Amino acid sequence: MRQIYGIIPNLINFAVNSCERMKVTILGSGTSQGVPVIACDCEVCRSTDEHDKRLRSSAMIDIGDKKLIIDAGPDFRTQMLRAGVKDVRALLLTHEHKDHIGGLDDIRAFNWVKQGEVDVCCNYLTMRAIRKDYDYAFTKFRYPGVPEMNIHVVEEEPFRIDDIEVIPVTVMHYKLPITAFRIANFAYVTDANFIPEESMKKLEGVEYLVINALRKEPHLSHFTLGQALEVVKRLNVKQAYITHIGHQMGLHGEVSDELPDNVKLAHDMLAFEF
């Protein structure tokens, strides 16, 4: 197995190395059903505003000539085509739910480009689900053309993808551990409704944050908008973007007007650099 990372020992303060300029593109900002929701006739699902049309949550990070993709849900193919992606350095997967791994079969196109495997970084539970859901990709005698992936299990320790340092941050999706990711002064947190104190410490100093908020009303396993804003306030980030948004949140334009200056509702293909 080709290693793409090396565990960094004794990294007590979670200091991050300086890296090249970073660009983040929100490939999808919607919840598990996307927006509009099938068969729904609510105001948001009927909206003609492109900001209210949301594919399943995913993001792309460009650092130098390398592209990292966070999550590969059912809209992965559409997102890769829309963003004009020709190759990826690695996939970072937050967890095993289908709206985050349901598009992995489509990495076959990148297998052809690379003439080899795509590196996938995820926690143990996600690796186990991938090997079950895509068992045909891991059998001893594989059908020609199946997706080829090199899975690297990452848990709590920082790791490297080439010269890019990535810090995994465990957050909770009700009772399911989710892997958030921090790179330099950027962090991506999705499908969370609780961040343990130890994980909050890993996020200290982040200036740019993408964080989930499903709606304004309480939910069993997702932050509300108010709860996400509390995390943003505590971390004192320069700029935050709300993602994994459900149709119950309301119209993009109206909700945007309610937010603090340093918080924006994400929308598909939103891009920012720092």
Side-chain angles (χ1 to χ4, degrees):
M1 178 182 290
R2 179 170 55 88
Q3 294 296 104
I4 65 166
Y5 62 88
I7 298 301
I8 304 171
N10 302 319
L11 190 63
I12 298 173
N13 295 319
F14 307 106
V16 289
N17 295 339
S18 60
C19 65
E20 299 179 62
R21 191 164 181 81
M22 189 184 310
K23 177 182 178 182
V24 177
T25 303
I26 302 298
L27 300 174
S29 58
T31 186
S32 58
Q33 297 184 83
V35 182
V37 175
I38 293 173
C40 182
D41 197 37
C42 75
E43 181 182 32
V44 175
C45 289
R46 288 186 290 108
S47 172
T48 58
D49 185 349
E50 288 300 316
H51 295 91
D52 289 315
K53 302 184 186 306
R54 304 180 183 279
L55 298 180
R56 268 61 75 96
S57 291
S58 177
M60 177 169 65
I61 303 171
D62 284 280
I63 303 176
D65 60 351
K66 300 178 180 68
K67 288 184 184 294
L68 308 179
I69 306 294
I70 301 179
D71 286 337
D75 299 316
F76 181 72
R77 175 180 176 275
T78 298
Q79 291 164 338
M80 296 298 97
L81 289 171
R82 183 166 67 174
V85 180
K86 302 298 184 183
D87 193 14
V88 298
R89 178 61 190 87
L91 298 180
L92 307 178
L93 302 181
T94 60
H95 64 296
E96 67 265 36
H97 286 167
K98 274 295 193 292
D99 54 319
H100 296 265
I101 68 167
L104 281 175
D105 188 79
D106 285 318
I107 68 170
R108 291 179 295 159
F110 296 127
N111 295 147
W112 176 259
V113 170
K114 291 175 175 292
Q115 289 296 293
E117 298 171 319
V118 172
D119 288 305
V120 176
C121 302
C122 61
N123 64 25
Y124 174 79
L125 292 175
T126 305
M127 179 274 291
R128 189 175 65 179
I130 292 170
R131 292 186 67 91
K132 174 178 177 292
D133 293 353
Y134 297 92
D135 58 345
Y136 57 91
F138 299 97
T139 57
K140 185 174 181 180
F141 300 103
R142 294 181 294 177
Y143 187 84
V146 299
E148 299 177 21
M149 60 191 92
N150 189 17
I151 301 180
H152 305 267
V153 174
V154 298
E155 296 292 353
E156 298 296 332
E157 293 297 322
F159 62 96
R160 290 185 183 278
I161 299 173
D162 300 328
D163 58 344
I164 302 169
E165 180 180 303
V166 183
I167 299 175
V169 181
T170 299
V171 299
M172 298 303 298
H173 185 32
Y174 186 41
K175 296 182 179 181
L176 179 70
I178 305 292
T179 305
F181 295 100
R182 175 176 182 171
I183 300 175
N185 59 349
F186 167 76
Y188 186 94
V189 180
T190 191
D191 284 53
N193 72 320
F194 176 70
I195 303 178
E197 193 60 32
E198 182 178 351
S199 295
M200 287 294 289
K201 291 178 180 177
K202 288 186 177 184
L203 294 172
E204 289 177 358
V206 161
E207 295 183 351
Y208 299 88
L209 175 68
V210 175
I211 186 169
N212 70 285
L214 183 69
R215 61 193 191 193
K216 295 177 181 178
E217 297 78 18
H219 189 273
L220 177 69
S221 59
H222 291 273
F223 281 136
T224 65
L225 179 59
Q227 290 167 338
L229 292 177
E230 288 176 7
V231 175
V232 171
K233 183 177 180 180
R234 174 172 172 182
L235 292 175
N236 192 30
V237 301
K238 180 183 295 185
Q239 186 67 57
Y241 300 88
I242 304 297
T243 195
H244 209 285
I245 300 166
H247 61 157
Q248 306 100 322
M249 178 72 83
L251 294 168
H252 181 277
E254 294 181 1
V255 178
S256 294
D257 290 341
E258 303 170 5
L259 298 176
D261 291 341
N262 68 329
V263 182
K264 295 180 180 179
L265 281 190
H267 58 81
D268 290 16
M269 297 306 292
L270 168 72
F272 54 96
E273 298 184 49
F274 49 92

